[in-house]
Amino acid sequence: DSGVTQTPKHLITATGQRVTLRCSPRSGDLSVYWYQQSLDQGLQFLIQYYNGEERAKGNILERFSAQQFPDLHSELNLSSLELGDSALYFCASSVRPETTHEQYFGPGTRLTVT
Amino acid sequence: AQKITQTQPGMFVQEKEAVTLDCTYDTSDPSYGLFWYKQPSSGEMIFLIYQGSYDQQNATEGRYSLNFQKARKSANLVISASQLGDSAMYFCAMREGLGDYKLSFGAGTTVTVRA
């Protein structure tokens, strides 16, 4: 158990819908990262937050957005869902990126768009 | 261009034997970090080992060791004394620079340990 929690574990929804994925980092971790794992794209970085502020952005679609709240939990919002958005979405956390090496991953949320 | 290349899609290894998983990387940044993660069939990503670009010694963590050859830009993972529980997908990843901490992942290598 990495200490990072993600909810829900599974999500099945229809095209065009909007969903919210939630992540609670390990206690004390200030930085949260979101990754998408799909069969065709592999594991891709989406976005990073550090202590409530956006720190880095990867291949995140405009239909996707994220935020980190004062209690440090983070949410990833996916809207106008398409079949190709079906993937495993991971949240990872680290204390301070510049002083720690590893990112601890949550169990992931498996999103299926039908 | 691909930053992390894992050329072995799948490997079989006999229980108690060692296995080497290949990873090559591409970066022009002198400061970077290399990681290996394990993903069992249950789906979670488990951190295994880390090697910094300035580290003089190869990293080791229990049965895992990282064979870091900087000039060749390779960071191979060696799993010694393989166990059935080592059957999983293994990902090599890289973090570049000091200001951006995202990880770039390779395509992964599936390891199957045979009894």
Side-chain angles (χ1 to χ4, degrees), chain B residues 25-95:
Chain B
Y25 59 91
D26 182 26
T27 182
S28 56
D29 201 309
S31 179
Y32 54 90
L34 297 156
F35 303 75
W36 279 92
Y37 283 85
K38 172 184 177 182
Q39 186 176 38
S41 58
S42 51
E44 73 268 31
M45 294 287 286
I46 302 166
F47 166 75
L48 296 178
I49 197 166
Y50 166 83
Q51 180 84 43
S53 59
Y54 296 117
D55 293 344
Q56 296 297 310
Q57 306 269 7
N58 285 345
T60 59
E61 288 286 348
R63 294 187 298 110
Y64 304 107
S65 60
L66 201 151
N67 184 3
F68 181 44
Q69 297 189 43
K70 198 169 181 176
R72 298 178 67 178
K73 293 191 174 180
S74 76
N76 298 340
L77 177 72
V78 180
I79 306 174
S80 62
S82 296
Q83 302 171 354
L84 295 178
D86 294 334
S87 293
M89 180 82 101
Y90 289 81
F91 290 95
C92 180
M94 177 172 65
R95 184 195 68 210

Side-chain angles (χ1 to χ4, degrees), chain A residues 33 35 37 43 45 48 55-58 88 90 97-98 100-107, chain B residues 35 37 39 42-47 50 89 91 95 98-106:
Chain A
Y33 309 77
Y35 293 88
Q37 185 178 29
L43 261 163
F45 168 76
Q48 177 202 356
R55 187 80 174 255
K57 222 168 187 176
L88 186 54
F90 285 108
E98 64 272 23
T100 59
H101 305 305
E102 60 267 32
Q103 295 178 15
Y104 293 92
F105 279 71
Chain B
F35 303 75
Y37 283 85
Q39 186 176 38
S42 51
E44 73 268 31
M45 294 287 286
I46 302 166
F47 166 75
Y50 166 83
M89 180 82 101
F91 290 95
R95 184 195 68 210
L98 298 173
D100 183 348
Y101 304 104
K102 67 182 183 189
L103 295 179
S104 300
F105 285 86

